Amino acid sequence: MDIDDSLGFLLNRSATDMRAALENHLAPYGLTAPQWAVMARVSHTPGIGMTELASQLGYDKPTTSGIVSRLEKRELILRRRSNFDQRAIELYLSDAGKTLFAALPALAQHVNARAAQGFNEGEILLLKELLRRIRQNFA
Amino acid sequence: MDIDDSLGFLLNRSATDMRAALENHLAPYGLTAPQWAVMARVSHTPGIGMTELASQLGYDKPTTSGIVSRLEKRELILRRRSNFDQRAIELYLSDAGKTLFAALPALAQHVNARAAQGFNEGEILLLKELLRRIRQNFA
DNA sequence: GACTTTTAGTTAGCATGCATACAATATTGT
DNA sequence: ACAATATTGTATGCATGCTAACTAAAAGTC
């Protein structure tokens, strides 16, 4: 049995390929895919906390904290202490972060469209459904 | 649109989940998934070179070289200079490596079976086919 | 044969991602 | 009120996985 016939290999490679395509578009802006994902979530939900952000991204907290720290160092994102819970922080895009994020073309759509080349609508939905079931089996 | 509805997210997460399950089984042996994959390939093709190994695994050469180095440090794998090409190396499992690899239960099958729980044969084949087409779109 | 180009592999640097351990604050139980 | 517990976030260490830059040896060109 050939290695590139295994489900794990195919999942790994297709995920990596798709991510690489995304990062190709992000490179001119100096962003990585996870950084872009963080900015997208914070842009969508200003004031989001670290735990909720990590949960939405599917990362653990240390990973998410690290990505946020690198974005903070570039002054694209702000950590603010919550007034209601001294442990919690609220995340916001800085003005520079908002400007940069607004300047990004519709990257996700573009990469998704490329991934879906040659597929019909039903096939994509089916693929997503199968992937969700795979995840369920490991939950 | 929810983030966990995107194809990229689903691919990434299902690949990570499956890999985590594999590493769960590998942990008692002190191996990671890529390390196991390297040992499996070298076991299958003794004397394989670094470039060919990297190609089969879908990694680049520096990544593969690093994984091999960590296995070599644990004396599970051997780097031998080729007699025909002074640049090339040939990879072999050490005796300890062979013993360890032989002691591993049929991990891939086990994890694959778990991933495929609730799927019929056709669905798995279809999923693999869809993933191959995704990869083609980014090739 | 000398020169150029390829090819095999490593080194260095960076950003994930993970597990573990920790500090600080909130919450709960009594 | 106060001790035990849970929760929020960070620090650390490690193994990927990538790009870019490099060395050494082989192959092609003239």
Side-chain angles (χ1 to χ4, degrees):
Chain A
M1 87 114 170
D2 224 2
I3 185 183
D4 61 323
D5 210 41
S6 90
L7 184 54
F9 179 86
L10 283 171
L11 282 174
N12 210 327
R13 279 299 104 193
S14 40
T16 300
D17 289 352
M18 191 160 175
R19 174 187 174 144
L22 177 59
E23 299 207 326
N24 228 36
H25 292 286
L26 286 170
Y29 305 95
L31 291 177
T32 65
Q35 288 169 3
W36 170 80
V38 164
M39 292 187 71
R41 289 329 288 168
V42 173
S43 170
H44 178 274
T45 315
I48 190 174
M50 200 63 84
T51 301
E52 173 63 15
L53 176 61
S55 159
Q56 287 190 16
L57 296 172
Y59 298 147
D60 53 16
K61 285 193 292 181
T63 294
T64 311
S65 182
I67 297 169
V68 166
S69 291
R70 283 180 285 276
L71 287 171
E72 192 184 28
K73 196 183 308 178
R74 285 181 55 192
E75 303 189 358
L76 295 175
I77 217 171
L78 300 174
R79 271 183 171 101
R80 205 178 292 168
R81 273 242 109 77
S82 162
N83 290 326
F84 313 103
D85 186 335
Q86 288 305 108
R87 301 166 299 179
I89 63 173
E90 298 167 355
L91 295 169
Y92 300 94
L93 292 191
S94 69
D95 288 341
K98 285 178 194 166
T99 303
L100 175 57
F101 188 72
L104 298 178
L107 289 170
Q109 285 92 323
H110 188 278
V111 175
N112 273 320
R114 176 153 175 206
Q117 247 175 359
F119 288 81
N120 61 49
E121 187 62 30
E123 283 176 318
I124 293 296
L125 289 178
L126 173 58
L127 173 55
K128 288 183 182 177
E129 188 52 35
L130 293 174
L131 292 176
R132 280 196 204 88
R133 282 168 60 193
I134 294 275
R135 292 204 66 197
Q136 277 302 317
N137 283 343
F138 289 113
Chain B
M1 87 114 170
D2 224 1
I3 186 181
D4 61 322
D5 208 42
S6 90
L7 184 54
F9 180 85
L10 283 171
L11 281 174
N12 209 327
R13 280 299 104 193
S14 40
T16 300
D17 288 353
M18 192 162 175
R19 174 188 172 142
L22 177 59
E23 299 207 327
N24 229 36
H25 292 285
L26 287 170
Y29 305 94
L31 290 177
T32 65
Q35 288 169 3
W36 170 80
V38 163
M39 291 187 71
R41 288 328 288 167
V42 173
S43 171
H44 178 273
T45 315
I48 190 173
M50 200 63 85
T51 301
E52 173 64 14
L53 176 60
S55 159
Q56 287 190 18
L57 296 173
Y59 298 148
D60 53 18
K61 285 193 291 182
T63 295
T64 311
S65 181
I67 298 169
V68 166
S69 291
R70 282 179 286 275
L71 287 171
E72 192 185 28
K73 197 184 306 179
R74 285 181 55 192
E75 302 188 359
L76 295 174
I77 216 170
L78 300 173
R79 271 182 171 101
R80 205 177 293 167
R81 263 248 101 91
S82 162
N83 291 327
F84 313 103
D85 186 335
Q86 287 306 108
R87 301 167 298 178
I89 62 175
E90 297 167 355
L91 295 168
Y92 299 94
L93 293 191
S94 69
D95 288 341
K98 285 177 193 164
T99 303
L100 175 57
F101 188 72
L104 297 178
L107 288 170
Q109 286 92 321
H110 188 279
V111 175
N112 273 319
R114 175 152 175 208
Q117 247 175 357
F119 288 80
N120 59 50
E121 186 63 29
E123 284 176 318
I124 293 295
L125 290 178
L126 173 57
L127 173 55
K128 288 183 182 177
E129 187 52 35
L130 293 174
L131 291 175
R132 280 196 204 89
R133 283 168 60 191
I134 294 275
R135 292 203 66 198
Q136 275 303 317
N137 283 343
F138 289 113

PDB file of all heavy atoms in Angstrom, chain B residues 62-82:
ATOM      1  N   PRO B  62      14.693  19.822   4.284  1.00  0.00           N
ATOM      2  CA  PRO B  62      15.138  20.195   5.636  1.00  0.00           C
ATOM      3  C   PRO B  62      14.278  19.571   6.728  1.00  0.00           C
ATOM      4  O   PRO B  62      14.813  19.096   7.745  1.00  0.00           O
ATOM      5  CB  PRO B  62      15.009  21.723   5.619  1.00  0.00           C
ATOM      6  CG  PRO B  62      15.161  22.115   4.213  1.00  0.00           C
ATOM      7  CD  PRO B  62      14.504  21.005   3.427  1.00  0.00           C
ATOM      8  N   THR B  63      12.971  19.557   6.531  1.00  0.00           N
ATOM      9  CA  THR B  63      12.098  18.954   7.534  1.00  0.00           C
ATOM     10  C   THR B  63      12.437  17.477   7.715  1.00  0.00           C
ATOM     11  O   THR B  63      12.587  16.990   8.843  1.00  0.00           O
ATOM     12  CB  THR B  63      10.631  19.099   7.101  1.00  0.00           C
ATOM     13  OG1 THR B  63      10.290  20.486   7.082  1.00  0.00           O
ATOM     14  CG2 THR B  63       9.714  18.358   8.037  1.00  0.00           C
ATOM     15  N   THR B  64      12.574  16.784   6.612  1.00  0.00           N
ATOM     16  CA  THR B  64      12.860  15.356   6.667  1.00  0.00           C
ATOM     17  C   THR B  64      14.208  15.106   7.330  1.00  0.00           C
ATOM     18  O   THR B  64      14.349  14.205   8.167  1.00  0.00           O
ATOM     19  CB  THR B  64      12.853  14.776   5.246  1.00  0.00           C
ATOM     20  OG1 THR B  64      11.672  15.201   4.577  1.00  0.00           O
ATOM     21  CG2 THR B  64      12.906  13.269   5.284  1.00  0.00           C
ATOM     22  N   SER B  65      15.178  15.932   6.961  1.00  0.00           N
ATOM     23  CA  SER B  65      16.514  15.778   7.543  1.00  0.00           C
ATOM     24  C   SER B  65      16.468  15.937   9.062  1.00  0.00           C
ATOM     25  O   SER B  65      17.136  15.209   9.795  1.00  0.00           O
ATOM     26  CB  SER B  65      17.450  16.818   6.923  1.00  0.00           C
ATOM     27  OG  SER B  65      18.757  16.697   7.421  1.00  0.00           O
ATOM     28  N   GLY B  66      15.668  16.882   9.522  1.00  0.00           N
ATOM     29  CA  GLY B  66      15.554  17.107  10.958  1.00  0.00           C
ATOM     30  C   GLY B  66      14.938  15.920  11.674  1.00  0.00           C
ATOM     31  O   GLY B  66      15.413  15.503  12.737  1.00  0.00           O
ATOM     32  N   ILE B  67      13.889  15.361  11.108  1.00  0.00           N
ATOM     33  CA  ILE B  67      13.239  14.212  11.728  1.00  0.00           C
ATOM     34  C   ILE B  67      14.218  13.041  11.790  1.00  0.00           C
ATOM     35  O   ILE B  67      14.348  12.367  12.817  1.00  0.00           O
ATOM     36  CB  ILE B  67      11.970  13.818  10.944  1.00  0.00           C
ATOM     37  CG1 ILE B  67      10.962  14.971  10.979  1.00  0.00           C
ATOM     38  CG2 ILE B  67      11.357  12.552  11.512  1.00  0.00           C
ATOM     39  CD1 ILE B  67       9.799  14.793  10.020  1.00  0.00           C
ATOM     40  N   VAL B  68      14.926  12.827  10.684  1.00  0.00           N
ATOM     41  CA  VAL B  68      15.913  11.744  10.651  1.00  0.00           C
ATOM     42  C   VAL B  68      16.993  11.986  11.711  1.00  0.00           C
ATOM     43  O   VAL B  68      17.410  11.055  12.407  1.00  0.00           O
ATOM     44  CB  VAL B  68      16.535  11.631   9.242  1.00  0.00           C
ATOM     45  CG1 VAL B  68      17.788  10.766   9.284  1.00  0.00           C
ATOM     46  CG2 VAL B  68      15.525  11.068   8.260  1.00  0.00           C
ATOM     47  N   SER B  69      17.418  13.225  11.849  1.00  0.00           N
ATOM     48  CA  SER B  69      18.464  13.531  12.831  1.00  0.00           C
ATOM     49  C   SER B  69      18.027  13.175  14.243  1.00  0.00           C
ATOM     50  O   SER B  69      18.811  12.636  15.029  1.00  0.00           O
ATOM     51  CB  SER B  69      18.834  15.013  12.765  1.00  0.00           C
ATOM     52  OG  SER B  69      19.499  15.298  11.552  1.00  0.00           O
ATOM     53  N   ARG B  70      16.769  13.480  14.556  1.00  0.00           N
ATOM     54  CA  ARG B  70      16.300  13.163  15.914  1.00  0.00           C
ATOM     55  C   ARG B  70      16.199  11.656  16.109  1.00  0.00           C
ATOM     56  O   ARG B  70      16.485  11.137  17.201  1.00  0.00           O
ATOM     57  CB  ARG B  70      14.963  13.859  16.176  1.00  0.00           C
ATOM     58  CG  ARG B  70      15.147  15.349  16.489  1.00  0.00           C
ATOM     59  CD  ARG B  70      13.831  16.071  16.737  1.00  0.00           C
ATOM     60  NE  ARG B  70      13.056  16.312  15.530  1.00  0.00           N
ATOM     61  CZ  ARG B  70      13.224  17.354  14.712  1.00  0.00           C
ATOM     62  NH1 ARG B  70      14.140  18.247  14.969  1.00  0.00           N
ATOM     63  NH2 ARG B  70      12.473  17.495  13.647  1.00  0.00           N
ATOM     64  N   LEU B  71      15.820  10.936  15.063  1.00  0.00           N
ATOM     65  CA  LEU B  71      15.784   9.473  15.170  1.00  0.00           C
ATOM     66  C   LEU B  71      17.197   8.914  15.264  1.00  0.00           C
ATOM     67  O   LEU B  71      17.441   7.918  15.948  1.00  0.00           O
ATOM     68  CB  LEU B  71      15.055   8.878  13.950  1.00  0.00           C
ATOM     69  CG  LEU B  71      13.543   9.071  13.939  1.00  0.00           C
ATOM     70  CD1 LEU B  71      12.958   8.639  12.602  1.00  0.00           C
ATOM     71  CD2 LEU B  71      12.885   8.298  15.070  1.00  0.00           C
ATOM     72  N   GLU B  72      18.125   9.560  14.555  1.00  0.00           N
ATOM     73  CA  GLU B  72      19.512   9.103  14.591  1.00  0.00           C
ATOM     74  C   GLU B  72      20.102   9.310  15.983  1.00  0.00           C
ATOM     75  O   GLU B  72      20.841   8.467  16.483  1.00  0.00           O
ATOM     76  CB  GLU B  72      20.326   9.868  13.545  1.00  0.00           C
ATOM     77  CG  GLU B  72      21.698   9.291  13.279  1.00  0.00           C
ATOM     78  CD  GLU B  72      22.502  10.169  12.325  1.00  0.00           C
ATOM     79  OE1 GLU B  72      22.264  11.401  12.300  1.00  0.00           O
ATOM     80  OE2 GLU B  72      23.376   9.626  11.613  1.00  0.00           O
ATOM     81  N   LYS B  73      19.760  10.438  16.592  1.00  0.00           N
ATOM     82  CA  LYS B  73      20.267  10.721  17.934  1.00  0.00           C
ATOM     83  C   LYS B  73      19.799   9.655  18.918  1.00  0.00           C
ATOM     84  O   LYS B  73      20.492   9.312  19.866  1.00  0.00           O
ATOM     85  CB  LYS B  73      19.801  12.106  18.384  1.00  0.00           C
ATOM     86  CG  LYS B  73      20.595  12.658  19.556  1.00  0.00           C
ATOM     87  CD  LYS B  73      20.036  14.005  20.042  1.00  0.00           C
ATOM     88  CE  LYS B  73      19.942  15.013  18.893  1.00  0.00           C
ATOM     89  NZ  LYS B  73      19.380  16.310  19.340  1.00  0.00           N
ATOM     90  N   ARG B  74      18.609   9.123  18.669  1.00  0.00           N
ATOM     91  CA  ARG B  74      18.089   8.064  19.531  1.00  0.00           C
ATOM     92  C   ARG B  74      18.566   6.695  19.054  1.00  0.00           C
ATOM     93  O   ARG B  74      18.148   5.664  19.585  1.00  0.00           O
ATOM     94  CB  ARG B  74      16.567   8.112  19.550  1.00  0.00           C
ATOM     95  CG  ARG B  74      16.031   9.258  20.392  1.00  0.00           C
ATOM     96  CD  ARG B  74      14.535   9.261  20.422  1.00  0.00           C
ATOM     97  NE  ARG B  74      13.960   7.984  20.876  1.00  0.00           N
ATOM     98  CZ  ARG B  74      12.676   7.674  20.777  1.00  0.00           C
ATOM     99  NH1 ARG B  74      11.840   8.531  20.227  1.00  0.00           N
ATOM    100  NH2 ARG B  74      12.230   6.528  21.213  1.00  0.00           N
ATOM    101  N   GLU B  75      19.408   6.713  18.029  1.00  0.00           N
ATOM    102  CA  GLU B  75      20.005   5.476  17.507  1.00  0.00           C
ATOM    103  C   GLU B  75      18.970   4.480  17.025  1.00  0.00           C
ATOM    104  O   GLU B  75      19.119   3.262  17.189  1.00  0.00           O
ATOM    105  CB  GLU B  75      20.920   4.834  18.570  1.00  0.00           C
ATOM    106  CG  GLU B  75      22.034   5.784  19.008  1.00  0.00           C
ATOM    107  CD  GLU B  75      23.062   5.114  19.900  1.00  0.00           C
ATOM    108  OE1 GLU B  75      22.895   3.919  20.193  1.00  0.00           O
ATOM    109  OE2 GLU B  75      24.026   5.804  20.293  1.00  0.00           O
ATOM    110  N   LEU B  76      17.910   5.011  16.418  1.00  0.00           N
ATOM    111  CA  LEU B  76      16.897   4.143  15.829  1.00  0.00           C
ATOM    112  C   LEU B  76      17.103   4.016  14.331  1.00  0.00           C
ATOM    113  O   LEU B  76      16.547   3.137  13.680  1.00  0.00           O
ATOM    114  CB  LEU B  76      15.492   4.705  16.112  1.00  0.00           C
ATOM    115  CG  LEU B  76      15.095   4.733  17.581  1.00  0.00           C
ATOM    116  CD1 LEU B  76      13.751   5.429  17.758  1.00  0.00           C
ATOM    117  CD2 LEU B  76      15.041   3.322  18.158  1.00  0.00           C
ATOM    118  N   ILE B  77      17.918   4.920  13.790  1.00  0.00           N
ATOM    119  CA  ILE B  77      18.090   4.975  12.351  1.00  0.00           C
ATOM    120  C   ILE B  77      19.566   5.244  12.046  1.00  0.00           C
ATOM    121  O   ILE B  77      20.280   5.822  12.876  1.00  0.00           O
ATOM    122  CB  ILE B  77      17.169   6.062  11.744  1.00  0.00           C
ATOM    123  CG1 ILE B  77      16.634   5.634  10.374  1.00  0.00           C
ATOM    124  CG2 ILE B  77      17.891   7.375  11.658  1.00  0.00           C
ATOM    125  CD1 ILE B  77      15.548   6.554   9.866  1.00  0.00           C
ATOM    126  N   LEU B  78      20.025   4.820  10.867  1.00  0.00           N
ATOM    127  CA  LEU B  78      21.426   5.002  10.490  1.00  0.00           C
ATOM    128  C   LEU B  78      21.532   5.786   9.193  1.00  0.00           C
ATOM    129  O   LEU B  78      20.800   5.523   8.234  1.00  0.00           O
ATOM    130  CB  LEU B  78      22.105   3.636  10.288  1.00  0.00           C
ATOM    131  CG  LEU B  78      22.136   2.682  11.480  1.00  0.00           C
ATOM    132  CD1 LEU B  78      22.698   1.332  11.042  1.00  0.00           C
ATOM    133  CD2 LEU B  78      22.963   3.284  12.605  1.00  0.00           C
ATOM    134  N   ARG B  79      22.459   6.749   9.180  1.00  0.00           N
ATOM    135  CA  ARG B  79      22.817   7.441   7.939  1.00  0.00           C
ATOM    136  C   ARG B  79      24.109   6.800   7.431  1.00  0.00           C
ATOM    137  O   ARG B  79      25.104   6.778   8.153  1.00  0.00           O
ATOM    138  CB  ARG B  79      23.115   8.917   8.218  1.00  0.00           C
ATOM    139  CG  ARG B  79      21.965   9.895   8.165  1.00  0.00           C
ATOM    140  CD  ARG B  79      22.497  11.286   8.410  1.00  0.00           C
ATOM    141  NE  ARG B  79      21.513  12.340   8.180  1.00  0.00           N
ATOM    142  CZ  ARG B  79      20.843  12.969   9.126  1.00  0.00           C
ATOM    143  NH1 ARG B  79      21.034  12.634  10.389  1.00  0.00           N
ATOM    144  NH2 ARG B  79      19.991  13.936   8.827  1.00  0.00           N
ATOM    145  N   ARG B  80      24.095   6.335   6.204  1.00  0.00           N
ATOM    146  CA  ARG B  80      25.312   5.772   5.635  1.00  0.00           C
ATOM    147  C   ARG B  80      25.610   6.476   4.318  1.00  0.00           C
ATOM    148  O   ARG B  80      24.694   6.710   3.531  1.00  0.00           O
ATOM    149  CB  ARG B  80      25.131   4.267   5.407  1.00  0.00           C
ATOM    150  CG  ARG B  80      26.447   3.499   5.395  1.00  0.00           C
ATOM    151  CD  ARG B  80      26.197   2.006   5.238  1.00  0.00           C
ATOM    152  NE  ARG B  80      25.512   1.398   6.395  1.00  0.00           N
ATOM    153  CZ  ARG B  80      24.963   0.181   6.386  1.00  0.00           C
ATOM    154  NH1 ARG B  80      24.989  -0.548   5.279  1.00  0.00           N
ATOM    155  NH2 ARG B  80      24.376  -0.296   7.460  1.00  0.00           N
ATOM    156  N   ARG B  81      26.857   6.827   4.096  1.00  0.00           N
ATOM    157  CA  ARG B  81      27.216   7.474   2.825  1.00  0.00           C
ATOM    158  C   ARG B  81      27.145   6.465   1.707  1.00  0.00           C
ATOM    159  O   ARG B  81      27.592   5.324   1.855  1.00  0.00           O
ATOM    160  CB  ARG B  81      28.648   7.990   2.875  1.00  0.00           C
ATOM    161  CG  ARG B  81      28.841   9.349   3.188  1.00  0.00           C
ATOM    162  CD  ARG B  81      29.279  10.532   2.572  1.00  0.00           C
ATOM    163  NE  ARG B  81      28.245  11.450   2.132  1.00  0.00           N
ATOM    164  CZ  ARG B  81      27.757  12.441   2.872  1.00  0.00           C
ATOM    165  NH1 ARG B  81      28.142  12.606   4.112  1.00  0.00           N
ATOM    166  NH2 ARG B  81      26.877  13.263   2.347  1.00  0.00           N
ATOM    167  N   SER B  82      26.597   6.879   0.599  1.00  0.00           N
ATOM    168  CA  SER B  82      26.511   5.995  -0.548  1.00  0.00           C
ATOM    169  C   SER B  82      27.892   5.818  -1.176  1.00  0.00           C
ATOM    170  O   SER B  82      28.705   6.733  -1.192  1.00  0.00           O
ATOM    171  CB  SER B  82      25.543   6.563  -1.583  1.00  0.00           C
ATOM    172  OG  SER B  82      25.749   5.948  -2.838  1.00  0.00           O
TER     173      SER B  82
END
